[in-house]
Amino acid sequence: MANCSHDDWIVIKPTKRGKIPETRIDKNGNVFIDGKLYDENDTRYRHFSVNVERHNKISTGEETRKMIDLQKESKEGDIKTVSESRDKNKAESTTVKF
């Protein structure tokens, strides 16, 4: 990734320069629009609505390793759960069909 910080999580670049700005979201959940920190009260961003959910978990490959291991023991068509997490507001799971 050229011109990206090592803290960038998501970078959205327009294919043509114009009214659509470049948007970056770092690993801490901070949103930058054309290099400036997004502030919903700033009049420049009155047509933008940005909502980034902040997570403490960043995948470091554990799920990928588990998927590879599950693939070795699974038959075609099997559906396996790779990971599950629950808290008081939501439940999240990752499943794979082989």
Side-chain angles (χ1 to χ4, degrees), residues 24-58:
R24 293 175 186 261
I25 302 171
D26 68 14
K27 293 176 184 173
N28 294 321
N30 299 312
V31 178
F32 298 89
I33 299 175
D34 276 341
K36 295 184 171 74
L37 186 62
Y38 170 76
D39 177 9
E40 66 184 13
N41 298 317
D42 190 326
T43 57
R44 291 178 294 179
Y45 308 127
R46 67 181 172 269
H47 298 294
F48 285 80
S49 175
V50 178
N51 182 8
V52 177
E53 195 171 319
R54 296 170 196 262
H55 295 279
N56 293 328
K57 177 185 164 192
I58 294 179

Side-chain angles (χ1 to χ4, degrees), residues 50-92:
V50 178
N51 182 8
V52 177
E53 195 171 319
R54 296 170 196 262
H55 295 279
N56 293 328
K57 177 185 164 192
I58 294 179
S59 176
T60 56
E62 295 94 6
E63 287 185 356
T64 303
R65 172 58 43 209
K66 190 168 181 185
M67 282 184 224
I68 292 168
D69 293 342
L70 286 172
Q71 182 182 22
K72 292 175 185 175
E73 62 189 47
S74 299
K75 297 176 185 170
E76 187 174 335
D78 284 351
I79 297 174
K80 302 278 182 156
T81 300
V82 177
S83 68
E84 290 184 284
S85 65
R86 299 181 189 278
D87 65 20
K88 63 180 181 175
N89 297 323
K90 66 181 177 182
E92 190 176 297

